[in-house]
Amino acid sequence: QKIVRTITSVDEGNDYNNPLHNAATFEDVDIAVMMPYAAIDADLTLRISEQQRKDVWREDPKKVAVTEGRECMLSLMSKHYLPLTKVLSDMQTEGIRIDRAYLKQEYSRLDSREIALETSLVTKIAQDLGREPKDIVLNNPTDLANLMIGGYGLPVVVTTDKGEASSSNEAMQAWAKLNPIASDILDYRQVAKAKSTYVANLLTLSDYDGRVHGNIWANGTATGRLSASKPNLQNQPPA
């Protein structure tokens, strides 16, 4: 029993199954609309910046900082934070070059592997449990938990916040010791995640100029370290 899926080539319309791909950017906005918005944005940013400087000066006067043997907040902001922000802005503007040809090859390879694993899993589960293949949805956590527990008779090892049986990776790892089907599901999830979260996402985000211009945050964590998003460039897996 084969699974029927509509496959879109990575070169057909550049649709990498990512809704962000069709989102509008400034390149798509008419300049007559964009310029007033940009001017208002710049003006408001300047006004907020001036007010923040006044607030910082009142909240942490220089004379207080001197008596405590430290720099005042305004000095730290001017000497460290603002120059760092400029560096991070330059990094975002420059971006990181992406080998799109290689990623397209990886997308095709992972897509084929995902289909093969999905087909094999659905066929086996259908045969083992006497189910219709079309009724088996591997990406539905609730249905999958019911199959593993109600179908294969595996115990509940992890529950959701609502108290329902979970089919999370943690649960699958525990079930893998009892039934190899759980190991196969983990392999399928790993391939699907690599394709969608990493390869497809990088292709989408580098579609404009072949570079990824992710966000880099100076104050995005409670510990004060740098962080990144869209994509998280600090958390990319090795090739």
Side-chain angles (χ1 to χ4, degrees):
Q1 179 71 38
K2 292 185 178 180
I3 298 173
V4 178
R5 290 179 54 185
T6 301
I7 305 302
T8 303
S9 166
V10 292
D11 291 315
E12 260 180 39
N14 292 331
D15 182 2
Y16 305 111
N17 301 323
N18 191 322
L20 288 176
H21 184 71
N22 296 320
T25 65
F26 267 119
E27 291 80 16
D28 305 312
V29 180
D30 186 89
I31 191 169
V33 176
M34 181 176 66
M35 290 302 290
Y37 168 81
I40 293 170
D41 191 38
D43 179 58
L44 289 177
T45 301
L46 176 61
R47 296 188 191 188
I48 292 172
S49 173
E50 291 174 342
Q51 185 60 47
Q52 285 180 332
R53 284 180 175 275
K54 294 176 183 178
D55 292 342
V56 168
W57 184 257
R58 283 195 298 268
E59 291 173 11
D60 189 37
K62 184 177 181 179
K63 60 182 181 181
V64 173
V66 170
T67 60
E68 296 178 355
R70 59 175 177 80
E71 293 274 7
C72 64
M73 277 198 297
L74 189 60
S75 175
L76 291 173
M77 182 178 73
S78 300
K79 292 180 181 178
H80 301 285
Y81 187 79
L82 292 181
L84 173 61
T85 301
K86 177 63 167 60
V87 171
L88 298 183
S89 175
D90 290 343
M91 290 171 62
Q92 291 180 190
T93 302
E94 180 68 17
I96 297 175
R97 187 184 70 81
I98 296 296
D99 188 340
R100 291 179 55 81
Y102 168 75
L103 285 181
K104 286 181 179 180
Q105 292 177 357
E106 280 297 287
Y107 183 93
S108 295
R109 182 183 71 82
L110 291 169
D111 190 61
S112 298
R113 178 62 176 157
E114 181 185 8
I115 294 171
L117 287 170
E118 184 179 6
T119 302
S120 176
L121 277 166
V122 170
T123 300
K124 178 170 177 51
I125 293 172
Q127 291 174 347
D128 289 348
L129 305 180
R131 304 291 181 90
E132 286 292 328
K134 63 181 179 63
D135 296 330
I136 299 172
V137 183
L138 298 180
N139 293 323
N140 187 312
T142 302
D143 288 351
L144 192 55
N146 291 336
L147 287 172
M148 301 301 287
I149 297 169
Y152 284 102
L154 297 172
V156 176
V157 292
V158 180
T159 58
T160 66
D161 293 338
K162 296 181 179 179
E164 300 172 348
S166 171
S167 59
S168 64
N169 285 348
E170 181 183 355
M172 286 295 168
Q173 289 166 359
W175 287 334
K177 299 174 183 178
L178 304 173
N179 192 317
I181 193 72
S183 294
D184 295 336
I185 292 174
L186 285 171
D187 290 342
Y188 165 76
R189 285 180 172 177
Q190 185 178 35
V191 171
K193 181 178 176 65
K195 187 190 86 169
S196 62
T197 303
Y198 299 113
V199 177
N201 196 32
L202 289 176
L203 279 169
T204 298
L205 294 172
S206 64
D207 191 41
Y208 171 62
D209 61 356
R211 307 180 77 87
V212 170
H213 303 272
N215 296 324
I216 307 173
W217 306 102
N219 55 355
T221 67
T223 57
R225 64 176 176 80
L226 294 180
S227 61
S229 64
K230 296 183 181 181
N232 184 353
L233 295 171
Q234 299 173 319
N235 193 34
Q236 296 298 306

